[in-house]
Amino acid sequence: MHETSHAKNELEHERGYVDGLYRRLDQLREEKARQLAEVRRSASAGSHQNRSERDAFATMYEDRLAQLNAVDDRLVFGRLDLDDGEERYIGRIGLSTEDLQQLMIDWRAPEAGTFYQATAFERMGVRRRRHLILSRRDVVAIEDDVLDAGLLSNDGSLQGEGALLAALNSRRTGQMSDIVGTIQAEQDRIIRAPLSGVTVVQGGPGTGKTAVALHRAAYLLYTHRDRLKSAGVLLVGPTDAFMKYIERVLPSLGETGVVMAGIGTLMPGVTTVPEHDEGAAALKGRLEMAQIIRNAVANRQRIPAEPRRLNVEGTMLTLAPRQVARARDRARATGKPHNEARVTFVKILLRELTEQLTEQLEASSGPGNNADRAYLAEDVRSSRDVRIALNLAWMPLTPEKLITELLSKPAHLAAAAPHWSEEDRALLLRPADAPWTEADVPLLDEAAELLGELDASAGRDTAAREAENRRDLANAERTLENVNASLVDSGVDGVVTAEALAQHNAVSTARLSAAERAAGDRTWAFGHIVVDEAQELSPMQWRLLMRRCPVKSFTVVGDIAQTSSAAGSSSWDQALEPFVGDRWQLEELTVNYRTPAQIAEAAVRMATAAGLVISAPKAVREGRFAPVVDRVPDLIPALLQAVPEELDIVDGGLLAVIAPEDQLDDVRRALTAEYGDRVGSGAGGPTQDIVLMTPRGSKGLEFDGVVILEPQLMLDSATARVGDLYVAMTRPTQRLRLISTGTIPEGIEG
């Protein structure tokens, strides 16, 4: 906008209005902080019901305060001037005066949709769309889209071009920024799509897939609050680095109620590492693993080959194979999971053994002996021989124990997967103490479904249970002593009982949000699931996610051309057909906002020359630099010579060095020796402006500059995929450099 007197006046007007919005935001913060403090001061007195009500208010105030704190940066970003003369400000949340006069509309509200959707060809009642460009709380510039066809030509392809390009050209920080002020029409249409069903968002690099996914999660929670508040929304990403990269976006959009999880974290209590063996990952990802795990569970319900003699208080009983078989069949007929059906199995055999013991004792004591035999059932139940026999026939199991033994004992795996070749089974076998991998999580989840809850007391004798109960009681008594002492110190009269403590704990649990409860509950059924980089998921991982959302309400985001996992998908139909048939809708993003045209074109040429079928989204901007290609005799010296030049070019931005996995350690040692703590991994940290990673580790991330080492190796190694190099080449927003001691992949140099 030209620096005219009118322009200056408009800028000053907007600064005044925005100052008023921030004053209102600060007033609301102070109000909620005061209300929260009052509730907390009164929380320790009164009845349990009163405390429960106060806890509910405290949770409400805490959530609102968190939201108000999260939206401080660039609170407002737009204004609509409508045909009827109304001026409508658009921001991260809705704001009103104390007498409910509207000051700003939440970007997710229906009335705000025209900010993203209106064009010169379909104005939707909008005369002008104004973009407010803020730095923190300060309005630094304004930009107008005049939509009156007689005043300004506009093809509707880009909205707020100056604001958009300013955002694209800004330095990367290692944390993803929201695009709420620069959402484009094709993105907005997907963000506001209906909740129900499966929406697939296919988009090449730089098209804003992840941003669309995050903004859609925020929009759905706002629009369908009643339905999703209790069920929650799950957002699944490919790596821990990726989840860290995006973690601030949703709070900045006014949402704190989404469960964000890497695919390897979806089994509560289990810590995982990446699955580096691609052969094992591919096998574990097959849907037939579900049947193999089912076989493994069935194989733990055993019938002895011969009758077993059992000593019960000096009397010998016989447990016949036919008895075990009959009890097993009746337990299976209940349809309950393994551990729950075991109760039926044990109950049947304990009753039959008690009857057998009763008959033997009555026979040995002679006729007419009608002594009370009620204690005999306990004798049978507590017999060591009986416990061993029942556990051998039907052992209570945890998912971890079942899968550990399946993958570490050749006989167990052979019995569960007899149709597999020895070579395939050998790929899965590993030591019993091996760490869990991301590919194991769906197997553990499947086992948990088949096994059900484990009775903590199953398989242990009475003495052991009583000893544990005594330990628990002693711990509880010590806890109560500490609680009562704290109350006395606080000036509160009275003694806390175990019952009161239990009620207090129940209230504390009730205070948790749906997101907090869902994060620790494997069986939680979400109202909607958003999956980013979804092309990487194996069929078993899809099976796990479908179980988490029985209503099959999904937003699936990815790019088939970027598939790098051996267990990933080659088409969306392949990924989804086993679970939802053809009941899914495809949306495509067609514009590359991130990658400069010169770099995007080189990546497309390389991928096409290597035989990869890709969609090539149109880049919206020319960069300052064409890709730089260095052919060198020695890799490390060339890298150390190139890095200072690249750091100077990105000028305080973020530089990624992407290398084949087998060269990562050597490169890290060299960079760390030269740059120390400035070298990081993933998306970096506050003081780390050089990050080192593999091509797959860079998936979903973006950097100001990228240096790729040995690009041909990314195509030639045994585990390589064309998509890996394609992903690496499309990460930069400004500059791409490739360094090779060998050949350069065809197409990169035009």
Side-chain angles (χ1 to χ4, degrees):
M1 178 174 288
H2 299 296
E3 283 295 309
T4 64
S5 174
H6 174 71
K8 291 180 180 178
N9 289 339
E10 287 292 300
L11 185 60
E12 288 304 314
H13 169 76
E14 299 300 358
R15 285 172 173 164
Y17 194 88
V18 170
D19 286 345
L21 291 176
Y22 274 108
R23 283 195 298 273
R24 181 57 178 156
L25 180 69
D26 291 339
Q27 289 172 359
L28 289 172
R29 281 177 175 162
E30 292 171 3
E31 175 186 307
K32 297 308 169 189
R34 183 176 64 255
Q35 290 170 331
L36 179 60
E38 290 173 356
V39 166
R40 285 174 172 167
R41 279 196 299 270
S42 63
S44 61
S47 67
H48 296 306
Q49 180 178 348
N50 289 340
R51 285 199 296 271
S52 177
E53 292 173 354
R54 284 192 292 270
D55 283 343
F57 277 112
T59 299
M60 181 178 68
Y61 296 145
E62 288 166 355
D63 290 346
R64 180 60 171 162
L65 196 54
Q67 182 191 53
L68 295 172
N69 287 331
V71 299
D72 191 278
D73 186 22
R74 295 169 294 138
L75 171 68
V76 58
F77 51 81
R79 188 184 98 183
L80 290 174
D81 294 354
L82 306 181
D83 286 342
D84 61 5
E86 179 187 355
E87 292 180 355
R88 183 181 294 171
Y89 283 83
I90 313 297
R92 297 177 181 277
I93 60 173
L95 285 179
S96 299
T97 62
E98 291 185 11
D99 58 356
L100 302 182
Q101 295 297 309
Q102 190 174 67
L103 298 173
M104 183 173 71
I105 296 173
D106 192 301
W107 69 274
R108 296 165 289 187
E111 309 95 292
T114 50
F115 183 79
Y116 305 107
Q117 299 157 5
T119 70
F121 299 105
E122 190 173 348
R123 294 195 298 113
M124 305 173 72
V126 178
R127 292 189 297 115
R128 175 174 61 184
R129 172 176 45 236
R130 171 165 288 178
H131 296 264
L132 306 177
I133 302 171
L134 274 66
S135 175
R136 299 291 181 183
R137 291 188 166 201
D138 299 325
V139 182
V140 296
I142 58 177
E143 175 189 317
D144 286 347
D145 300 332
V146 179
L147 302 187
D148 186 331
L151 298 178
L152 183 66
S153 175
N154 186 333
D155 65 2
S157 61
L158 287 180
Q159 300 165 6
E161 184 173 352
L164 174 63
L165 294 181
L168 295 174
N169 288 319
S170 63
R171 295 190 186 100
R172 306 303 102 177
T173 64
Q175 289 279 347
M176 183 178 179
S177 298
D178 63 74
I179 61 166
V180 65
T182 57
I183 292 171
Q184 301 300 299
E186 71 170 7
Q187 297 172 327
D188 185 71
R189 177 172 48 80
I190 296 169
I191 290 168
R192 296 174 190 267
L195 170 66
S196 60
V198 177
T199 299
V200 176
V201 184
Q202 163 69 38
T207 54
K209 298 184 299 296
T210 297
V212 167
L214 292 167
H215 289 69
R216 177 158 169 75
Y219 169 78
L220 291 175
L221 275 165
Y222 175 89
T223 306
H224 303 280
R225 180 72 62 184
D226 291 343
R227 173 173 170 182
L228 294 179
K229 184 176 182 180
S230 59
V233 171
L234 172 65
L235 191 149
V236 179
T239 63
D240 291 342
F242 177 82
M243 301 312 291
K244 179 182 178 183
Y245 174 62
I246 67 173
E247 65 185 359
R248 294 183 186 174
V249 174
L250 282 166
S252 76
L253 297 173
E255 256 330 320
T256 57
V258 177
V259 177
M260 302 174 66
I263 195 68
T265 67
L266 292 175
M267 186 72 181
V270 172
T271 303
T272 64
V273 298
E275 179 67 76
H276 293 296
D277 188 324
E278 295 222 344
L283 288 173
K284 291 176 182 178
R286 292 181 185 175
L287 274 181
E288 62 187 298
M289 281 301 303
Q291 183 58 52
I292 289 171
I293 295 170
R294 184 174 293 277
N295 294 344
V297 173
N299 291 342
R300 306 306 291 270
Q301 300 164 4
R302 303 166 178 146
I303 299 173
E306 298 178 349
R308 187 180 182 95
R309 298 285 286 167
L310 309 174
N311 186 333
V312 177
E313 296 292 327
T315 301
M316 301 304 297
L317 306 180
T318 300
L319 182 63
R322 59 179 174 75
Q323 288 177 282
V324 177
R326 185 168 60 248
R328 184 192 66 176
D329 292 345
R330 290 175 61 184
R332 287 178 173 177
T334 65
K336 295 179 179 178
H338 173 91
N339 289 326
E340 296 171 29
R342 181 183 183 272
V343 175
T344 298
F345 174 81
V346 169
K347 188 179 296 183
I348 290 170
L349 291 182
L350 287 178
R351 184 177 66 247
E352 292 184 0
L353 289 171
T354 300
E355 290 172 355
Q356 187 181 146
L357 177 60
T358 301
E359 290 173 359
Q360 288 198 31
L361 290 178
E362 289 180 349
S364 65
S365 62
N369 188 336
N370 296 318
D372 181 17
R373 303 295 188 184
Y375 64 88
L376 297 182
E378 181 58 31
D379 288 346
V380 172
R381 184 179 296 107
S382 60
S383 164
R384 183 174 183 275
D385 280 5
V386 171
R387 293 200 314 276
I388 291 173
L390 298 186
N391 282 340
L392 287 173
W394 195 306
M395 176 71 76
L397 291 168
T398 64
E400 292 84 353
K401 180 176 177 61
L402 180 79
I403 301 301
T404 293
E405 294 187 350
L406 178 67
L407 300 183
S408 64
K409 295 186 176 182
H412 283 224
L413 185 56
H419 57 292
W420 277 17
S421 67
E422 290 187 16
E423 292 77 12
D424 280 350
R425 292 199 294 265
L427 284 174
L428 291 189
L429 289 171
R430 66 188 190 195
D433 60 353
W436 295 112
T437 71
E438 292 171 354
D440 293 330
V441 168
L443 311 188
L444 291 165
D445 189 74
E446 192 73 26
E449 280 293 301
L450 296 171
L451 294 174
E453 293 298 319
L454 179 65
D455 180 1
S457 66
R460 292 180 294 146
D461 59 31
T462 303
R465 291 198 299 273
E466 290 177 351
E468 182 171 332
N469 289 338
R470 287 193 297 272
R471 289 194 300 272
D472 291 344
L473 181 59
N475 289 335
E477 289 173 347
R478 285 193 295 272
T479 300
L480 289 175
E481 288 173 3
N482 293 334
V483 169
N484 285 318
S486 298
L487 290 174
V488 171
D489 292 341
S490 302
V492 179
D493 188 20
V495 176
V496 176
T497 65
E499 291 77 9
L501 186 61
Q503 286 181 298
H504 173 77
N505 288 339
V507 168
S508 298
T509 302
R511 281 189 57 187
L512 296 176
S513 67
E516 291 169 322
R517 298 196 306 274
D521 185 351
R522 189 197 66 81
T523 64
W524 190 273
F526 289 93
H528 189 80
I529 295 181
V530 179
V531 188
D532 203 355
E533 300 294 347
Q535 75 278 354
E536 302 298 333
L537 295 190
S538 71
M540 284 297 291
Q541 288 169 331
W542 277 115
R543 182 177 171 91
L544 179 156
L545 291 179
M546 292 290 170
R547 187 178 288 133
R548 295 289 198 277
C549 186
V551 296
K552 304 293 189 294
S553 178
F554 279 78
T555 300
V556 175
V557 179
D559 180 14
I560 290 296
Q562 296 186 52
T563 301
S564 59
S565 168
S569 304
S570 59
S571 72
W572 292 119
D573 187 64
Q574 178 196 44
L576 297 172
E577 192 278 333
F579 308 102
V580 296
D582 61 357
R583 298 184 302 279
W584 53 276
Q585 177 180 347
L586 179 66
E587 300 281 358
E588 290 204 55
L589 295 170
T590 61
V591 180
N592 183 340
Y593 302 99
R594 176 182 64 224
T595 316
Q598 304 97 312
I599 296 173
E601 290 164 5
V604 168
R605 289 196 305 268
M606 179 282 302
T608 302
L612 189 65
V613 178
I614 62 172
S615 57
K618 178 184 177 182
V620 300
R621 64 194 176 108
E622 292 287 329
R624 291 190 297 149
F625 310 100
V628 176
V629 177
D630 296 334
R631 293 177 174 83
V632 300
D634 297 306
L635 184 68
I636 299 299
L639 171 64
L640 294 178
Q641 183 177 347
V643 166
E645 180 182 346
E646 298 304 314
L647 288 172
D648 184 59
I649 288 172
V650 300
D651 189 23
L654 200 57
L655 178 68
V657 177
I658 302 178
E661 188 163 358
D662 59 0
Q663 301 202 5
L664 215 57
D665 289 342
D666 291 341
V667 174
R668 179 177 286 108
R669 279 193 291 270
L671 287 174
T672 303
E674 188 71 20
Y675 294 98
D677 293 340
R678 291 177 65 183
V679 179
S681 58
T687 62
Q688 296 171 324
D689 57 350
I690 305 170
V691 293
L692 177 63
M693 63 189 62
T694 64
R696 296 183 190 182
S698 72
K699 191 176 293 291
L701 308 180
E702 60 182 43
F703 309 93
D704 298 278
V706 170
V707 177
I708 296 176
L709 305 181
E710 302 292 16
Q712 189 65 45
L713 287 181
M714 296 180 185
L715 300 180
D716 293 344
S717 70
T719 61
R721 280 168 175 66
V722 178
D724 292 346
L725 181 54
Y726 182 58
V727 167
M729 289 183 66
T730 53
R731 297 307 96 193
T733 64
Q734 306 295 334
R735 165 94 162 182
L736 172 65
R737 187 168 194 156
L738 302 101
I739 303 176
S740 175
T741 59
T743 60
I744 298 294
E746 184 181 348
I748 288 179
E749 296 180 286

